[in-house]
Amino acid sequence: MSLKKDINELMKVNVEEPKKVLTMYLNTDRKSPEQQKGEWKIHLKNGLKNLEEKAKKSGSQKEMDQAKEIIKKVEDIVYGNERELLRGLVLMTTADENIWFMKTLQVPVETAFHWETYPVLDQLQALEKTYPYMGIVLIQKDEAAVLETEMGVLEEQTHYTLDLNTDDWREHQGPQGDDITEGGSKKDEYDERVEAHQQRWFKNLVSEVERKADSSNWEKIYLVGERDEVKALKSYFNKEVDKIISRNLLNRNADKILDAVLD
């Protein structure tokens, strides 16, 4: 959604020499066997060193000054946000920051550095096609969550809990604890009531999800949860469901969910 707009704007960029645009794709995926000891730091250092050498070879003092300024900014940004790095980082900028694009990703990229008069968009465009704006619907008995994500980046998160007083879903902004404090027969009675009305509630939830899908222009829909519940939920969709993941992930944090679902 927003990424398509960003890509379209970046495609229009073509600066005049000696001005340059740095495009950096940095793989920071700690899950990769090749990144277990922080090898991305070495790749970053080498990439920035090569950038400096390219600028020197140009013979332009203005280009060398730009490279020096950009290298300092990149080092400050990357090392200053090291704890927030996920699996990939994309950065496109000019020294004066008239061109600026940065995304920290939940999906890996191939490390590459480009020093051109335009942003190099090949990987970004490929990622947008593979991980477009989508909705991930998680279900677990009387709870549900919808994560809206683009290119592995969480854009919006909504949680739902069944409200037996209204016999419908109640929307809230974050996970909530179990409202059923009574044990024994009270809990059994609650479970029976949930099961008895679950199909109708699923139908109502799907209506809400499809409304979100239309308003936000989702390009894909994933369903996540226990096999039987996800199968029942899917039967109410008019829209195509692109992927089903039979795992109970609802109580994990958003980063963990995206990591598992998009892997």
Side-chain angles (χ1 to χ4, degrees):
M1 198 169 73
S2 58
L3 182 60
K4 281 187 175 181
K5 183 179 178 181
D6 288 336
I7 290 175
N8 288 336
E9 290 301 313
L10 288 167
M11 288 176 67
K12 300 174 185 177
V13 173
N14 201 326
V15 300
E16 293 186 8
E17 298 274 11
K19 193 171 184 178
K20 292 285 189 176
V21 179
L22 168 68
T23 301
M24 180 182 77
Y25 295 94
L26 185 63
N27 187 329
T28 56
D29 185 6
R30 294 178 180 86
K31 292 177 63 178
S32 170
E34 299 175 355
Q35 296 280 5
Q36 296 300 308
K37 296 181 180 179
E39 283 82 355
W40 65 265
K41 294 181 182 179
I42 297 173
H43 299 153
L44 174 64
K45 181 179 179 180
N46 291 340
L48 294 177
K49 184 178 179 181
N50 289 338
L51 184 157
E52 186 176 23
E53 290 174 354
K54 282 184 180 180
K56 285 181 179 178
K57 286 180 181 178
S58 73
S60 167
Q61 185 61 48
K62 288 185 178 180
E63 186 170 330
M64 286 186 278
D65 290 343
Q66 288 177 74
K68 184 177 180 180
E69 188 173 347
I70 285 179
I71 289 169
K72 177 66 166 59
K73 287 180 180 179
V74 170
E75 289 175 337
D76 289 346
I77 289 168
V78 175
Y79 292 119
N81 294 277
E82 186 174 343
R83 291 185 178 181
E84 284 71 48
L85 295 177
L86 299 173
R87 302 182 68 184
L89 177 66
V90 181
L91 176 64
M92 300 176 187
T93 187
T94 51
D96 58 13
E97 296 187 16
N98 283 340
I99 305 301
W100 176 264
F101 174 89
M102 189 174 86
K103 283 278 187 181
T104 301
L105 308 178
Q106 192 69 47
V107 293
V109 297
E110 182 179 345
T111 297
F113 293 78
H114 304 277
W115 186 241
E116 305 289 348
T117 56
Y118 52 87
V120 179
L121 302 171
D122 53 351
Q123 287 200 61
L124 193 63
Q125 290 170 319
L127 286 169
E128 196 279 328
K129 289 181 180 178
T130 305
Y131 306 100
Y133 203 94
M134 69 171 74
I136 300 171
V137 183
L138 300 101
I139 188 75
Q140 183 184 330
K141 198 173 183 179
D142 59 347
E143 294 181 68
V146 175
L147 307 186
E148 297 185 57
T149 176
E150 184 177 37
M151 211 165 63
V153 178
L154 181 67
E155 299 291 343
E156 190 171 333
Q157 181 175 4
T158 308
H159 288 257
Y160 301 88
T161 305
L162 285 178
D163 187 340
L164 292 181
N165 294 320
T166 62
D167 280 347
D168 207 347
W169 296 96
R170 174 164 50 87
E171 180 178 329
H172 52 92
Q173 292 305 306
Q176 293 189 343
D178 192 350
D179 291 334
I180 306 303
T181 55
E182 302 94 342
S185 60
K186 288 284 187 181
K187 185 67 166 64
D188 292 340
E189 181 182 333
Y190 177 87
D191 289 343
E192 289 174 4
R193 188 172 176 188
V194 167
E195 291 175 9
H197 296 279
Q198 194 175 57
Q199 301 307 309
R200 179 173 59 80
W201 285 327
F202 278 3
K203 186 176 181 180
N204 292 347
L205 177 63
V206 168
S207 295
E208 171 65 14
V209 167
E210 292 194 325
R211 183 191 65 77
K212 277 184 174 290
D214 287 335
S215 64
S216 298
N217 297 314
W218 293 358
E219 294 184 42
K220 290 185 179 181
I221 297 175
Y222 287 4
L223 302 184
V224 184
E226 297 292 345
R227 184 181 63 181
D228 291 343
E229 289 187 326
V230 169
K231 183 179 178 181
L233 189 68
K234 181 179 182 295
S235 68
Y236 291 105
F237 272 85
N238 294 311
K239 294 183 178 295
E240 180 181 355
V241 173
D242 297 275
K243 188 175 183 179
I244 290 177
I245 299 166
S246 298
R247 293 179 63 185
N248 185 357
L249 301 174
L250 184 63
N251 292 322
R252 297 191 183 186
N253 66 41
D255 285 343
K256 295 291 185 183
I257 292 170
L258 293 178
D259 195 28
V261 171
L262 300 177
D263 200 358

